[in-house]
Amino acid sequence: MKRQNVRTLALIMCTFTYLLVGAAVFDALESEEETAERRRLEAKSQELKSKYNLSAESYRELEWVVLKLKPHKAGVQWKFAGSFYFAITVITTIGYGHAAPSTDGGKVFCMVYALLGIPLTLVMFQSLGERINTFVKYLLHRIKKCLGMRRAEVSMANMVTIGFFSCISTLCIGAAAFSYYEHWSFFHAYYYCFITLTTIGFGDYVALQKDEALQNKPQYVAFSFVYILTGLTVIGAFLNLVVLRFMTMNAEDEKRDAEHRALLTRNGQASSIHATDTASAVPAAVGGGGGSGGGFRNVYAEVLHFQSMCSCLWYKSREKLQYSIPMIIPRDLSTSDTCVEQSHSSPGRCPETPSNRCFCNARRSAISSVSTGLHSLTAFQGLMKRRSSV
């Protein structure tokens, strides 16, 4: 089974397992409290009905009025400041639910506005996060060089650590500010910031909903807007650094598999061409003709799998096998291009150092001792000339 399919199945299983674990934990933590709270509210309802002599229908009407009045307790919601706040919650997918369009025109525009605004906002935050990560990486590299550290490279662990502490710092700053303005506890303010910046947006805690803050506290309104957008940028940078790496793994595997299939296809075609031209290759070589490009490519692909091959066979590797996978290319043959080029321009001048010494001086090449199928290299006069020049 392909690695992509295995990874996808594993992710599906992990996600459903995580959901089951979460459901069990929330059931254990919240179920009894919910039951107790419902009993208290029912008792209070009966008390109010008896105290004010309300019928069941009158009580339901009173409930409806109270629920409808709740959004208006914070003041006017649909002036420019309130509308801007609502637009932020739409395109960032926070969706507190503290306000919602009541007219049909407003609902239609909200759908169209979200359809265009959500992708635009996601791309903007991811792009901005990528730029922030690039700047932080450059800055950290410069700091390491200024400190004289032996290894100035910025690792993935460095970036993840910086991103994590940036997220924690952003949440703490917001929690301190909102606990001051909204008179929440620090824990509840931290909870509000986390739910907001992760775009969960339950709506149980919503800023700017007390004392008509949208109209009477412009500084607080501006801070709230800037904090939400800045915090989402920081979270987007961290997600760009961590999550998107895993999201692109399947695409990278697909690309690698496509390259591998292309290599196998090219090698298969070259094998068929080489099999049909083997009988005529040797006479052509005796008569002065060169070997076919397909046969050479097939032999060269076979040579790639041997670490101890003569470095002369590395001639024009990038041009001869365009579809090869870089990971299968022997690392110790990387100096042969330079040697071959030098030998082509100035025969006999390539120094026989341990890194590029050639062992082709013998009459019979060591290649034929490795693979019986490689003796056909003698049919290629051009290649033999390159070898003799080195």
Side-chain angles (χ1 to χ4, degrees):
M1 185 180 291
K2 296 176 64 175
R3 283 180 298 177
Q4 298 91 312
N5 296 335
V6 173
R7 186 185 298 121
T8 301
L9 291 176
L11 288 173
I12 292 173
M13 293 178 62
C14 289
T15 301
F16 277 99
T17 303
Y18 197 67
L19 288 172
L20 293 174
V21 171
V25 172
F26 284 124
D27 184 7
L29 293 176
E30 298 290 336
S31 180
E32 294 183 0
E33 179 63 24
E34 179 192 26
T35 303
E37 181 69 15
R38 182 172 182 176
R39 289 173 181 170
R40 286 194 296 268
L41 290 175
E42 288 177 350
K44 188 66 176 178
S45 174
Q46 294 297 328
E47 180 182 350
L48 290 175
K49 288 179 182 179
S50 301
K51 182 177 181 179
Y52 296 102
N53 195 20
L54 295 174
S55 62
E57 183 179 355
S58 299
Y59 187 79
R60 283 194 299 270
E61 184 177 356
L62 181 61
E63 282 183 329
W64 182 81
V65 172
V66 170
L67 291 175
K68 289 293 183 179
L69 283 174
K70 184 178 179 180
H72 301 280
K73 291 174 61 179
V76 180
Q77 294 286 333
W78 292 106
K79 292 297 183 182
F80 185 80
S83 299
F84 193 86
Y85 192 28
F86 175 77
I88 290 177
T89 63
V90 170
I91 65 173
T92 59
T93 69
I94 295 175
Y96 289 129
H98 67 289
S102 58
T103 63
D104 293 340
K107 293 175 182 178
V108 170
F109 178 75
C110 182
M111 290 187 288
V112 176
Y113 186 76
L115 187 64
L116 299 177
I118 291 174
L120 175 64
T121 306
L122 292 177
V123 172
M124 185 270 291
F125 280 128
Q126 291 300 327
S127 179
L128 190 57
E130 189 270 335
R131 291 290 88 203
I132 291 175
N133 289 333
T134 302
F135 176 73
V136 170
K137 187 175 182 179
Y138 168 78
L139 193 61
L140 189 58
H141 177 71
R142 298 293 299 177
I143 291 174
K144 285 188 173 184
K145 290 186 67 176
C146 292
L147 294 177
M149 300 180 67
R150 298 180 60 183
R151 299 186 57 138
E153 295 82 5
V154 180
S155 64
M156 186 68 173
N158 297 144
M159 296 297 295
V160 170
T161 302
I162 293 175
F164 176 76
F165 282 106
S166 298
C167 294
I168 297 298
S169 301
T170 303
L171 292 173
C172 290
I173 292 172
F178 286 112
S179 64
Y180 172 77
Y181 282 111
E182 296 289 340
H183 306 291
W184 295 331
S185 66
F186 184 84
F187 172 74
H188 288 161
Y190 190 92
Y191 167 80
Y192 162 75
C193 293
F194 181 85
I195 296 300
T196 297
L197 298 185
T198 53
T199 68
I200 297 174
F202 288 132
D204 50 348
Y205 288 88
V206 182
L208 302 174
Q209 299 298 295
K210 290 182 179 179
D211 303 325
E212 298 185 355
L214 287 170
Q215 287 78 37
N216 300 329
K217 297 180 180 179
Q219 296 86 357
Y220 178 40
V221 172
F223 168 78
S224 299
F225 294 167
V226 172
Y227 174 78
I228 291 174
L229 296 176
T230 304
L232 289 172
T233 303
V234 174
I235 299 296
F238 184 69
L239 295 179
N240 181 281
L241 189 67
V242 178
V243 177
L244 291 187
R245 172 59 185 167
F246 294 95
M247 293 174 64
T248 57
M249 289 177 67
N250 281 342
E252 292 175 356
D253 288 340
E254 292 287 352
K255 182 179 179 181
R256 191 180 300 112
D257 291 344
E259 292 175 350
H260 186 61
R261 287 193 297 270
L263 173 63
L264 295 178
T265 303
R266 302 285 292 190
N267 288 343
Q269 294 174 354
S271 299
S272 60
I273 296 175
H274 178 67
T276 56
D277 294 344
T278 300
S280 60
V282 175
V286 174
S292 64
F296 177 81
R297 182 171 295 164
N298 179 46
V299 174
Y300 175 73
E302 187 175 356
V303 169
L304 283 177
H305 294 278
F306 300 97
Q307 293 284 346
S308 60
M309 284 297 108
C310 171
S311 60
C312 300
L313 297 176
W314 196 245
Y315 174 66
K316 294 293 183 183
S317 61
R318 295 176 182 85
E319 290 80 9
K320 293 296 182 183
L321 194 60
Q322 297 177 0
Y323 296 95
S324 63
I325 300 176
M327 291 184 295
I328 68 174
I329 297 175
R331 188 179 298 274
D332 58 341
L333 299 182
S334 59
T335 60
S336 58
D337 279 330
T338 305
C339 181
V340 171
E341 293 297 332
Q342 291 177 358
S343 65
H344 178 65
S345 60
S346 302
R349 292 186 180 181
C350 183
E352 293 191 358
T353 59
S355 62
N356 58 15
R357 184 166 61 246
C358 177
F359 297 97
C360 292
N361 296 328
R363 179 68 178 172
R364 181 175 177 83
S365 173
I367 300 170
S368 58
S369 65
V370 178
S371 176
T372 57
L374 298 179
H375 65 275
S376 58
L377 283 172
T378 58
F380 302 100
Q381 295 271 331
L383 178 59
M384 297 304 292
K385 289 179 181 179
R386 292 290 179 186
R387 293 173 59 188
S388 62
S389 67
V390 179

